[in-house]
Amino acid sequence: MTARSEAPAVGIVTAQRVRTGPTFRARYLIPAIYIVGLLLPIYWLLNMSFKTTNEILGSFTLWPQNFTLENYEKIFIDPTWYMGYVNSLTYVVINTVLSVSVALPAAYAFSRYRFLGDKHLFFWLLTNRMAPPAVFALPFLQLYSAVGLFDTPWAVALAHTLFNIPLAVWILEGFMSGVPKELDETAYVDGYSFWRFFFRIFMPTIAAGIGVACFFCFMFSWVELLLAKTLTSVEAKPIAATMTRTASTSGYELGLLAAAGSLTLIPGAFVIYFVRNYIAKGFALGRV
Amino acid sequence: MNKVVNQKAWFFVLPVVLLVAFNAIIPLMTVVNFSVQETFGDNVFFWAGLQWFEDVLNSERFHAALLRSLLFTGLVLLIEIPLGLIIALSMPRRGPWVSVCLVLMALPLLIPWNVVGAMWNIMALPDIGLLGRGINALGIEYNYTRQPFGAWFTVILMDVWHWTSLVVLLCYAGLVSIPDAYYQAAKFDGARPWAVFRYIQLPKLKYVLTIAILLRFMDSFMIYTEVVVLTGGGPGNATTFLSIDLVKAALGQFDLGPAAAMSLIYFLIILLLSWLFYTLMMRNEAR
Amino acid sequence: MARITLENLRHSYVADPRSDADWALKRLNLDLSDGGAYALLGPSGCGKTTLLNLISGLLRPTEGRVLFDGRDVTDATPEQRNIAQVFQFPVIYDTMTVYANLAFPLRNRGIPNPDVDARVREIASMLELDATLHKRASGLTADGKQKISLGRGLVRADVNVIMFDEPLTVIDPHLKWVLRSKLKELHQRIRRTMIYVTHDQTEALTFADEVVVMNEGEIVQVGTPVELFERPRHTFVGHFIGSPGMNVLPCEVTGGRAIFAGHPVETANAARAKGNGKRLQLGVRPEFVSLSGEGIPVDIVKVLDAGRYRIVETRANGTTIKMLVRESETVPEGRAHLRFDPAHTQVYEDGWMVT
């Protein structure tokens, strides 16, 4: 609609002689320094992962003197290590898919309809986002043992839905409320059945919202570890448990630990990269 | 949006309710169950009434843990909220660097919490860690495994490193949603940068700031994994916050009764505070 | 108060503009006299907001100069140029009272409090805001908030220009008229230069003394509403202004006379048409087309009732010609003959009126 000749929202271009690229203001130093500070511990971790434990304990060097890949080799060869990643990713994916799937119809209901107890229900859901894992650790252990799911990825996936489902409902409801009801009504007039409308028209419209919800569910499930450790022992042991076990028993195999830790950065970095354009939108709703 | 009244909407909500109720109500019932009973083993239980609650609420140990948690949360909020806001204000509002910055800033948020703890555990070691070595090199005696103050310092630094980005991202999103026209009008009115902040930016950030404060309050109050991996709660009890104490009692000592009572009290505190903030938020949104 | 001159102004949002399409504003020159009420009228994307931002200083032009009272202000900031602007949606300081909002620009300039107070009250009464001075600005309705926006501009005695960027967009339809009249009345009273940007011809024609019609980055015509209506210099102006717009009919010119559908038509300027391979068109407004006994034969296609008059759509040779008839007049069925008022029928070459 707007031709190229008109700028929709005028950028703040102060009176300048030369119109080149972005101006560099002094205040940009602040986020720059902050980011450097953020990256330092990550760098240190990566640094250690490429050193042998002897070098780490023996000397203090800012980069590896004897660059080695043996820590990473160990992880890729030893099933107890790499299965840890597999297990973690398994329950995170199950949880994300489960949480977002059940949240979609529920969010739709909250966004479009009024029904008995809807406000109280919504609030009750939100309180579960605030559930402290510490409180639920032991009860969950008993509950999931009782239903025979102990030490499976399902136990962790289901346990994490306690706070991920409310989160997903909250985020999705926010995005859905931004879609006017006229869209639904037009579809019905055009002869769509509800489910066909929901899958073919509605979901693509809120695709960004679904992306954001998946991102946050992934994030909170991937990073949470108290419940993940409590509900598993051998078969479904997440990488966190393997790491902490190594730390206490094998007497500080620091290089190995560092490598294991570095590898856990990858799924996270991956996911952020994918949703980088939606991060601002998702946070803009303020519904983290 | 004009919502239509439709009780059939309950079918849509049912799967969510079932799943969450399964996870929330059954365990809570278990906890309540344990909190009012006493056992001497062998699965024999006696009614104990409110005894555990009294014990917990009167115990020194609980008070100490509660105070530590409150102090920790207070300090963390005091640092992270202003810091996050300042960083968000300093970032460019548009341009090629924005998404790079946002992605890098989001990295700490996606690291498993035990890795966060482990990273700082090693970094803060006085002999081989970058931080530990660095501080000691400045002449300050620093050892977080032995000094309570050192432990607190490290724990807080770790939390700031870990979570400030959340505040930054929230505030930045809020800032970016302010239409340019406000800044233009301020230019015409001759407003100085401080006035722009006070009269335009800050009021429009109220909503996201409330959320940031709420989330940081809750999450810092419930903190567990990072601290356990970093200090184990020590030295001694120095950094044993509420959830650490709770887990020690429940999973470590299997003191089911007191642990259950403590859980409930803990949960109630959080519920109360989240209700408070929720009401505040809804009032803001209604505007 | 200032006389604004735009000299050889051209603007592009692209760093290295090459083709014509890269230029948001093609080369233009414009003179706006002090204290006038102007409208920048044109469809979406015509460049009117760009032009507005160049005058106010929010944008620096790629080429050309902006002069206020002969002074070159091309490098001056908006604050230095002393501009006020009312935006599409109300821009107010939510946390302040109405009083504080109005006082804000003055206080920023360090004007002493008693003077501030006098001025604020004066403007508030002019805008009928005095009853709400102590209230929080965020509590007012949309039109009240727009008045505050306007007030912040008026309160500065030395303001050079007040700009309006489609200010009635969020106002309720029944209040638009009230606000429009208020703006016109204000202009009569304070005689400050006002520039009103809009795509709505009614707003433009009722507010402005002179209208600048724009299309695709160019100024097509500058004139009073009457001039634009009676002597549109471009077929675009003819189309855009008036409801329904001007009829534009293909024609030929032979021997100094215009010919349409094989019939000769008396015009005001056919004698001066040169042709030279340019596209020739005839422009006549529906208001100046009438039924007559003999003239151009047409088929009556449709009659639309518009209240006090009717719009009759006719067709001749595949071209549609619209005309207006009073409700008392009878419209024949089937065939009829039309006559164009010669004084208001013009020949256009490549869209531009022949002079």
Side-chain angles (χ1 to χ4, degrees):
Chain A
M1 188 172 65
T2 323
R4 264 177 80 251
S5 55
E6 184 129 83
V10 178
I12 311 293
V13 179
T14 49
Q16 309 165 168
R17 284 263 117 162
V18 184
R19 242 163 9 102
T20 50
T23 46
F24 286 100
R25 295 168 211 236
R27 68 167 205 240
Y28 294 167
L29 273 180
I30 298 181
I33 296 177
Y34 176 65
I35 291 179
V36 169
L38 286 186
L39 294 177
L40 264 177
I42 297 178
Y43 167 74
W44 195 247
L45 189 71
L46 288 171
N47 180 21
M48 283 197 309
S49 72
F50 292 117
K51 294 181 182 175
T52 62
T53 309
N54 284 331
E55 186 187 334
I56 298 175
L57 292 173
S59 56
F60 177 82
T61 48
L62 289 175
W63 59 88
Q65 301 289 27
N66 300 317
F67 187 92
T68 171
L69 288 173
E70 69 179 35
N71 297 315
Y72 287 100
E73 268 179 51
K74 248 184 237 168
I75 295 178
F76 283 119
I77 295 178
D78 187 353
T80 41
W81 277 103
Y82 65 71
M83 279 310 287
Y85 293 103
V86 173
N87 291 333
S88 291
L89 281 171
T90 309
Y91 70 68
V92 170
V93 170
I94 297 179
N95 174 276
T96 304
V97 170
L98 188 59
S99 298
V100 176
S101 311
V102 300
L104 275 167
Y108 185 79
F110 280 118
S111 144
R112 262 49 177 159
Y113 301 120
R114 279 205 325 267
F115 47 94
L116 190 63
D118 54 357
K119 285 208 176 57
H120 296 100
L121 186 62
F122 200 67
F123 174 62
W124 172 70
L125 279 179
L126 285 187
T127 58
N128 291 296
R129 164 65 181 81
M130 310 297 168
V135 166
F136 286 85
L138 181 56
F140 270 178
L141 180 56
Q142 299 175 324
L143 174 64
Y144 283 99
S145 305
V147 296
L149 284 175
F150 177 75
D151 205 20
T152 65
W154 286 97
V156 187
L158 284 169
H160 282 172
T161 62
L162 175 63
F163 41 83
N164 268 352
I165 287 183
L167 183 65
V169 171
W170 198 17
I171 293 179
L172 287 169
E173 194 270 337
F175 276 90
M176 288 182 184
S177 294
V179 178
K181 258 189 359 179
E182 282 72 41
L183 186 72
D184 312 19
E185 287 157 12
T186 316
Y188 298 146
V189 166
D190 284 347
Y192 279 83
S193 71
F194 172 76
W195 288 111
R196 215 171 133 226
F197 151 73
F198 196 78
F199 285 109
R200 289 288 201 85
I201 300 183
F202 197 65
M203 277 177 63
T205 314
I206 52 158
I210 298 181
V212 172
C214 286
F215 169 72
F216 283 117
C217 285
F218 179 94
M219 174 175 140
F220 282 115
S221 185
W222 176 246
V223 299
E224 198 286 326
L225 287 153
L226 174 55
L227 293 178
K229 270 172 59 187
T230 313
L231 293 171
T232 58
S233 67
V234 179
E235 289 296 320
K237 192 196 284 262
I239 184 63
T242 322
M243 283 177 69
T244 39
R245 193 203 59 169
T246 307
S248 47
T249 60
S250 319
Y252 272 125
E253 279 203 46
L254 282 175
L256 189 56
L257 265 181
S262 303
L263 285 174
T264 64
L265 297 176
I266 297 179
F270 216 55
V271 173
I272 306 178
Y273 181 73
F274 263 130
V275 297
R276 67 190 181 286
N277 291 321
Y278 298 118
I279 286 184
K281 218 188 217 168
F283 279 96
L285 278 188
R287 294 177 174 225
V288 180
Chain B
M1 171 160 340
N2 264 331
K3 298 191 195 179
V4 168
V5 177
N6 184 353
Q7 304 302 338
K8 281 198 269 182
W10 264 98
F11 286 113
F12 285 166
V13 180
L14 212 51
V16 161
V17 172
L18 287 176
L19 268 172
V20 177
F22 175 73
N23 275 317
I25 298 189
I26 301 181
L28 268 181
M29 283 180 358
T30 322
V31 173
V32 171
N33 199 14
F34 280 132
S35 68
V36 291
Q37 293 186 349
E38 194 176 332
T39 174
F40 294 108
D42 282 343
N43 257 330
V44 181
F45 290 95
F46 301 89
W47 175 260
L50 293 173
Q51 186 199 330
W52 294 130
F53 291 98
E54 283 175 32
D55 280 355
V56 168
L57 285 171
N58 289 328
S59 83
E60 284 274 335
R61 180 173 146 184
F62 177 75
H63 291 165
L66 180 60
L67 275 166
R68 283 185 218 117
S69 280
L70 286 172
L71 179 59
F72 175 70
T73 298
L75 285 171
V76 148
L77 279 176
L78 223 62
I79 299 176
E80 288 176 12
I81 304 287
L83 181 60
L85 183 56
I86 292 175
I87 296 175
L89 286 169
S90 316
M91 280 187 60
R93 244 174 272 141
R94 53 177 66 83
W97 290 102
V98 169
S99 41
V100 174
C101 283
L102 292 179
V103 168
L104 287 175
M105 287 188 191
L107 267 178
L109 297 174
L110 272 101
I111 305 181
W113 294 344
N114 71 314
V115 178
V116 174
M119 273 167 73
W120 282 87
N121 184 321
I122 302 174
M123 255 218 1
L125 286 173
D127 40 356
I128 55 169
L130 184 63
L131 181 71
R133 188 86 174 225
I135 296 186
N136 280 309
L138 288 172
I140 308 171
E141 214 188 286
Y142 166 69
N143 187 337
Y144 72 89
T145 52
R146 276 188 229 135
Q147 306 159 323
F149 182 79
W152 271 79
F153 171 74
T154 318
V155 166
I156 292 182
L157 189 58
M158 172 178 71
D159 196 88
V160 168
W161 176 89
H162 191 185
W163 289 106
T164 305
S165 290
L166 184 65
V167 182
V168 175
L169 287 168
L170 277 168
C171 289
Y172 184 73
L175 275 177
V176 155
S177 67
I178 301 178
D180 279 335
Y182 282 90
Y183 294 107
Q184 292 167 355
K187 271 208 182 113
F188 294 136
D189 287 341
R192 253 137 305 175
W194 171 252
V196 172
F197 173 69
R198 185 172 161 203
Y199 295 119
I200 298 179
Q201 292 172 316
L202 200 56
K204 301 232 173 281
L205 285 178
K206 246 192 223 141
Y207 182 62
V208 286
L209 272 176
T210 311
I211 301 205
I213 296 175
L214 168 65
L215 285 177
R216 283 316 305 137
F217 189 106
M218 295 296 129
D219 288 343
S220 67
F221 204 63
M222 300 195 276
I223 200 171
Y224 179 79
T225 313
E226 301 109 291
V227 179
V228 162
V229 175
L230 177 59
T231 62
N237 270 342
T239 55
T240 301
F241 304 119
L242 267 179
S243 26
I244 302 177
D245 198 33
L246 176 60
V247 173
K248 246 189 225 169
L251 291 178
Q253 300 163 286
F254 269 96
D255 261 346
L256 298 177
M262 182 154 47
S263 297
L264 283 176
I265 298 174
Y266 188 27
F267 201 11
L268 270 159
I269 299 178
I270 294 189
L271 275 179
L272 186 68
L273 289 161
S274 51
W275 173 84
L276 224 91
F277 275 108
Y278 180 74
T279 338
L280 268 170
M281 239 165 60
M282 285 301 118
R283 255 203 291 143
N284 258 317
E285 214 170 78
R287 281 229 209 112
Chain C
M1 281 145 291
R3 185 159 174 279
I4 301 174
T5 313
L6 303 175
E7 209 177 81
N8 287 325
L9 213 60
R10 263 214 308 181
H11 190 74
S12 167
Y13 288 106
V14 180
D16 189 18
R18 257 167 274 216
S19 69
D20 219 34
D22 291 334
W23 291 96
L25 274 187
K26 322 261 193 307
R27 188 179 310 278
L28 60 89
N29 286 283
L30 188 62
D31 244 314
L32 301 174
S33 56
D34 186 10
Y38 293 94
L40 296 183
L41 176 65
S44 284
C46 70
K48 50 193 196 291
T49 306
T50 307
L51 185 55
L52 194 73
N53 288 327
L54 286 170
I55 299 178
S56 68
L58 289 171
L59 270 185
R60 201 188 173 282
T62 318
E63 282 177 24
R65 300 199 303 161
V66 179
L67 304 155
F68 280 21
D69 278 335
R71 283 183 310 121
D72 189 332
V73 296
T74 323
D75 289 329
T77 65
E79 194 188 343
Q80 289 167 339
R81 296 189 200 192
N82 244 319
I83 306 277
Q85 184 158 338
V86 180
F87 297 87
Q88 262 178 326
F89 55 89
V91 174
I92 55 167
Y93 301 104
D94 291 306
T95 50
M96 299 190 202
T97 59
V98 175
Y99 185 97
N101 259 277
L102 294 174
F104 191 60
L106 296 176
R107 288 188 177 142
N108 284 335
R109 282 170 167 78
I111 297 181
N113 270 330
D115 298 337
V116 172
D117 189 71
R119 188 79 184 140
V120 167
R121 290 187 190 282
E122 186 189 335
I123 299 296
S125 80
M126 218 195 282
L127 292 170
E128 289 160 16
L129 285 173
D130 15 20
T132 58
L133 272 180
H134 58 283
K135 290 212 186 114
R136 265 182 91 123
S138 52
L140 268 64
T141 53
D143 57 304
K145 290 183 185 173
Q146 282 293 50
K147 282 204 231 167
I148 299 179
S149 278
L150 177 58
R152 279 208 320 275
L154 293 172
V155 88
R156 291 146 50 193
D158 58 349
V159 69
N160 281 326
V161 196
I162 308 183
M163 322 270 227
F164 298 87
D165 191 355
E166 316 219 31
L168 301 182
T169 311
V170 294
I171 309 290
D172 279 335
H174 63 281
L175 285 173
K176 276 198 221 241
W177 177 83
V178 173
L179 236 76
R180 264 214 311 261
S181 330
K182 190 106 202 116
L183 283 177
K184 185 78 185 164
E185 179 195 315
L186 266 172
H187 180 257
Q188 308 282 35
R189 210 161 131 183
I190 61 173
R191 284 277 141 205
R192 223 52 83 70
T193 315
M194 291 190 184
I195 305 181
Y196 192 108
V197 167
T198 179
H199 60 272
D200 182 326
Q201 48 166 315
T202 323
E203 282 178 24
L205 296 172
T206 47
F207 172 78
D209 299 329
E210 271 195 35
V211 179
V212 178
V213 182
M214 294 182 69
N215 189 32
E216 291 185 356
E218 291 188 286
I219 295 182
V220 180
Q221 184 170 358
V222 180
T224 65
V226 174
E227 281 170 22
L228 292 175
F229 189 80
E230 301 211 332
R231 304 187 59 70
R233 278 210 294 126
H234 193 280
T235 49
F236 173 76
V237 179
H239 265 313
F240 197 73
I241 296 193
S243 177
M246 183 169 80
N247 291 303
V248 179
L249 319 168
C251 73
E252 292 152 6
V253 173
T254 35
R257 295 187 87 205
I259 317 267
F260 167 69
H263 286 262
V265 178
E266 286 288 335
T267 65
N269 61 351
R272 295 190 287 276
K274 284 182 219 100
N276 292 0
K278 294 191 188 166
R279 189 155 74 117
L280 291 170
Q281 287 163 315
L282 209 55
V284 58
R285 288 201 180 275
E287 288 83 349
F288 301 116
V289 176
S290 49
L291 296 163
S292 83
E294 45 166 40
I296 302 167
V298 294
D299 293 310
I300 309 277
V301 175
K302 221 191 293 184
V303 179
L304 289 161
D305 198 328
R308 271 195 274 124
Y309 56 89
R310 282 177 291 170
I311 303 172
V312 182
E313 202 179 300
T314 70
R315 192 154 301 164
N317 244 28
T319 316
T320 307
I321 308 175
K322 290 194 188 160
M323 60 173 290
L324 300 182
V325 295
R326 279 187 294 267
E327 54 178 344
S328 50
E329 252 177 273
T330 39
V331 180
E333 307 249 330
R335 301 217 93 202
H337 293 268
L338 294 181
R339 181 182 172 271
F340 301 163
D341 180 0
H344 291 104
T345 311
Q346 279 105 5
V347 175
Y348 291 85
E349 280 176 347
D350 273 347
W352 292 94
M353 186 164 77
V354 168
T355 44

